[in-house]
Amino acid sequence: MGQFSVRNIEDEVVAGLKIKARLAGVSFETFVRDTLRAAAPLSGREKVALIEEFRRQYGPIGPATPPEDILAEERAKR
C-alpha cells in the first residue's frame, strides 16, 4: 500500500475533518482514507481527457491487425 504526507493544510481544514470523522464514528485516519478512496476513481470526463492527452503525445491509434491476418502471415513464412 502507498503512503504519503500532506503538509501545510490549514488548521481549519484539519479541525473540520476531525469533526466529520467524529460525527461519522470513525477515526480521523479512517475518515481521511475513505475520503481519498472516494475521490480517486476517474470520472468519465477525466478518462476522456486522459485518452486525449495520450493521443496528443503519441498520435492517433490505428486499427489493430486482426489475429487471422497475423496467423496467415506467419503461415506464409513457413
Side-chain angles (χ1 to χ4, degrees):
M1 291 216 171
Q3 210 177 82
F4 67 93
S5 296
V6 181
R7 293 178 171 72
N8 301 320
I9 300 173
E10 295 86 354
D11 292 337
E12 301 81 27
V13 172
V14 174
L17 290 171
K18 286 182 177 181
I19 290 168
K20 288 184 175 205
R22 188 180 76 236
L23 293 173
V26 296
S27 70
F28 176 67
E29 181 180 343
T30 298
F31 184 81
V32 172
R33 186 184 306 114
D34 291 347
T35 301
L36 291 171
R37 187 179 295 119
L42 297 175
S43 68
R45 285 183 181 178
E46 290 166 329
K47 290 176 184 177
V48 168
L50 189 60
I51 292 168
E52 289 171 353
E53 178 183 304
F54 181 90
R55 287 182 177 155
R56 278 192 304 276
Q57 186 171 354
Y58 298 104
I61 300 170
T65 304
E68 57 272 14
D69 291 352
I70 295 171
L71 288 173
E73 288 174 19
E74 290 300 315
R75 288 183 183 133
K77 291 178 185 177
R78 294 181 191 170

